Amino acid sequence: MKPGTRILLVEDDQAITSFVGPQLKHRNLSVRCAYDGEEALAQIEQFRPELVVLDIMLPKFDGVGVLNRI
């Protein structure tokens, strides 16, 4: 991936995002995290990610619902 690629990491387990997010940033990627389905949809509109890493079991709105919306 080229430096600056926008990635949205959607995961409700903050232990996972606290590990994976910094690893992606270390590779010069632009990373944002969302912790539930509603936040993911808002971040997709604002951040316009090129790649979404999406957990299926999320609070408020599950990953399948997020995928269907995008």
Side-chain angles (χ1 to χ4, degrees):
M1 254 180 260
K2 64 183 177 185
T5 298
R6 294 180 311 279
I7 298 175
L8 178 61
L9 177 58
V10 185
E11 171 60 63
D12 59 324
D13 186 338
Q14 291 190 11
I16 294 173
T17 58
S18 68
F19 174 75
V20 175
Q23 292 296 318
L24 295 170
K25 288 177 183 177
H26 179 70
R27 289 165 175 76
N28 296 316
L29 302 170
S30 180
V31 179
R32 287 196 189 172
C33 296
Y35 301 98
D36 63 56
E38 289 178 359
E39 185 181 0
L41 292 171
Q43 287 285 346
I44 288 167
E45 272 193 41
Q46 294 171 354
F47 186 51
R48 308 297 290 173
E50 298 166 85
L51 174 71
V52 177
V53 179
L54 181 61
D55 185 15
I56 296 299
M57 296 182 67
L58 296 168
K60 296 187 182 177
F61 201 66
D62 70 12
V64 174
V66 172
L67 185 59
N68 286 331
R69 289 251 181 123
I70 59 174

